[in-house]
Amino acid sequence: LAGIQSLVAIGDAFPAEMMPLIGQAVAKGEIYLDVLSGTVQAPVNVSLSPEQRVKATEALIFMIRRRGEGIFLYGRNMMDMMLYGPKDDLVGESSNNVEIQRQTHLYFVNDTDDGKEEDETDERTLRLNTGGPIYSTEENQLIRAGAISVVTELISVLDGTTIASYCCILVQLVNTTLSLETSRPIRRCTAGLARELYSCSLKEVLGGAHSDAPHPSSEVLLAIM
């Protein structure tokens, strides 16, 4: 947590340098730095572990929220990174899906393998609110889900014109993922993306109904349709 907060604080001070750098870390798992050794400046390529990429994703989401509408300076660049930048080696299905589903069910119902079940409403509600456990075999899926979460955060603050230019691929992503994807984290984040797209369309409709402009903006709604 301290590392994430440190990245966010540096991002507040140097957004032009940090936003693209953390975006690259999330999308590609690599960052390129110029390190000064004595009087010689040499480029260094740093590869990140899946866990580090997940932490970088959390930091990036916090940065986007803190920038608010000011994120438009980096909006298109960040969207391109998240949608087109991730490595192909992240794509793949876990061979333990059945076991993951079974263990997740036991977690939610608060059941144990010895047959003893604690029927406590408060405990079960707490477990449901956590969203379920994350297994080591799901690390790569978490990275893909994190990229979708970053896109969702960007959509929540970017202007309608920018969002509309990506609506075709976003709608295709939502339809394909919710129809074919089996990963829990990816499906959950994609559902959040769909909700945010609908929210943007609703804002345009409600905003147009209360606007005095002769032709209120409906760019996102028209792009989705």
Side-chain angles (χ1 to χ4, degrees):
L1 181 60
I4 294 174
Q5 292 175 340
S6 298
L7 289 175
V8 174
I10 298 173
D12 287 344
F14 306 99
E17 292 80 12
M18 286 298 293
M19 296 295 291
L21 185 66
I22 301 301
Q24 183 181 17
V26 173
K28 297 185 176 180
E30 298 175 340
I31 54 177
Y32 304 96
L33 303 172
D34 288 329
V35 178
L36 185 62
S37 178
T39 58
V40 179
Q41 185 171 339
V44 176
N45 180 16
V46 181
S47 296
L48 304 180
S49 67
E51 183 179 0
Q52 289 173 324
R53 293 178 70 178
V54 171
K55 297 300 182 183
T57 301
E58 296 179 29
L60 184 57
I61 289 175
F62 278 119
M63 290 180 187
I64 293 171
R65 290 175 180 174
R66 290 168 73 93
R67 301 301 297 175
E69 294 183 358
I71 199 66
F72 78 91
L73 291 172
Y74 319 98
R76 289 188 177 275
N77 186 28
M78 299 292 292
M79 288 287 285
D80 289 340
M81 281 187 184
M82 297 303 114
L83 292 174
Y84 308 115
K87 288 184 175 180
D88 293 337
D89 60 9
L90 292 179
V91 180
E93 293 297 330
S94 171
S95 60
N96 302 316
N97 283 338
V98 175
E99 181 62 20
I100 286 175
Q101 291 176 1
R102 190 183 76 85
Q103 291 294 337
T104 303
H105 172 73
L106 293 177
Y107 174 85
F108 282 140
V109 300
N110 198 17
D111 198 4
T112 57
D113 291 333
D114 58 7
K116 295 181 180 179
E117 181 177 350
E118 301 176 14
D119 189 13
E120 298 181 7
T121 303
D122 292 342
E123 175 70 14
R124 189 168 296 181
T125 301
L126 178 62
R127 287 170 177 262
L128 288 172
N129 288 337
T130 63
I134 299 298
Y135 301 92
S136 59
T137 56
E138 296 181 296
E139 279 189 338
N140 284 343
Q141 298 172 8
L142 282 178
I143 295 171
R144 293 169 59 198
I148 297 173
S149 296
V150 171
V151 171
T152 303
E153 288 295 332
L154 288 169
I155 290 175
S156 69
V157 294
L158 289 174
D159 62 280
T161 302
T162 302
I163 298 171
S165 65
Y166 290 95
C167 272
C168 182
I169 188 173
L170 291 175
V171 171
Q172 183 181 2
L173 171 64
V174 169
N175 288 337
T176 303
T177 302
L178 295 182
S179 299
L180 303 176
E181 182 63 64
T182 59
S183 166
R184 300 177 308 132
I186 296 175
R187 288 178 62 87
R188 187 182 303 121
C189 291
T190 304
L193 173 59
R195 184 187 63 234
E196 194 60 45
L197 283 173
Y198 280 120
S199 177
C200 289
S201 301
L202 184 61
K203 287 178 183 177
E204 287 186 339
V205 172
L206 295 180
H210 297 86
S211 175
D212 295 331
H215 301 289
S217 174
S218 299
E219 293 163 301
V220 175
L221 181 59
L222 290 174
I224 291 176
M225 295 175 63

